[in-house]
Amino acid sequence: MSNDENRTGGAGGPSTSVITKVKPKTKRPNLYRVLILNDDYTPMEFVVHVLEKFFNKDPEAATKIMLHVHHHGIGECGIFTYEIAETKVTQVMDFARKHQHPLQCVMEKK
């Protein structure tokens, strides 16, 4: 065997190959809007408190959302993945019932 055959992996010699790792493409999760619905009985201050407590809104942003709910009948609290949105809705509804308010919180696919 000549030196040329050894360098190129000639007849019967080991060959080299490149292994490429295919990175799977991950799909972005669906997002859901969490909405508060207006009613005639829940105090505005309670709605502001809920927005601050469960959605981490500052007092100014919470008041703005509350007024939007008051005037338009519905307002967006935030946009989350399904599990987080579902948890937020449950927390708000439980908190409202505990304080004997008929506040409604729902989620819808964005």
Side-chain angles (χ1 to χ4, degrees):
M1 195 186 265
S2 72
N3 283 343
D4 287 337
E5 285 180 12
N6 284 338
R7 278 189 230 128
T8 60
S15 63
T16 58
S17 62
V18 177
I19 298 173
T20 58
K21 203 173 199 178
V22 178
K23 193 172 184 180
K25 297 235 180 203
T26 53
K27 187 180 143 195
R28 286 198 167 272
N30 291 325
L31 296 177
Y32 292 80
R33 298 170 64 204
V34 176
L35 307 166
I36 286 186
L37 308 178
N38 190 37
D39 64 73
D40 294 333
Y41 303 101
T42 305
M44 293 179 176
E45 296 80 18
F46 184 78
V47 175
V48 170
H49 179 67
V50 164
L51 290 165
E52 291 172 351
K53 180 177 177 76
F54 296 106
F55 299 97
N56 298 320
K57 302 293 183 187
D58 59 76
E60 186 179 320
T63 302
K64 186 176 179 182
I65 293 169
M66 177 275 299
L67 288 172
H68 188 273
V69 171
H70 182 69
H71 293 294
H72 297 95
I74 193 166
E76 183 177 280
C77 305
I79 300 172
F80 308 96
T81 58
Y82 180 83
E83 291 80 10
I84 294 172
E86 185 177 46
T87 301
K88 299 270 186 194
V89 168
T90 303
Q91 288 174 330
V92 169
M93 295 293 285
D94 290 347
F95 190 71
R97 298 301 158 263
K98 181 180 171 188
H99 290 86
Q100 300 179 341
H101 294 299
L103 183 65
Q104 293 292 307
C105 186
V106 296
M107 58 189 260
E108 71 175 23
K109 195 170 184 179
K110 186 169 187 254

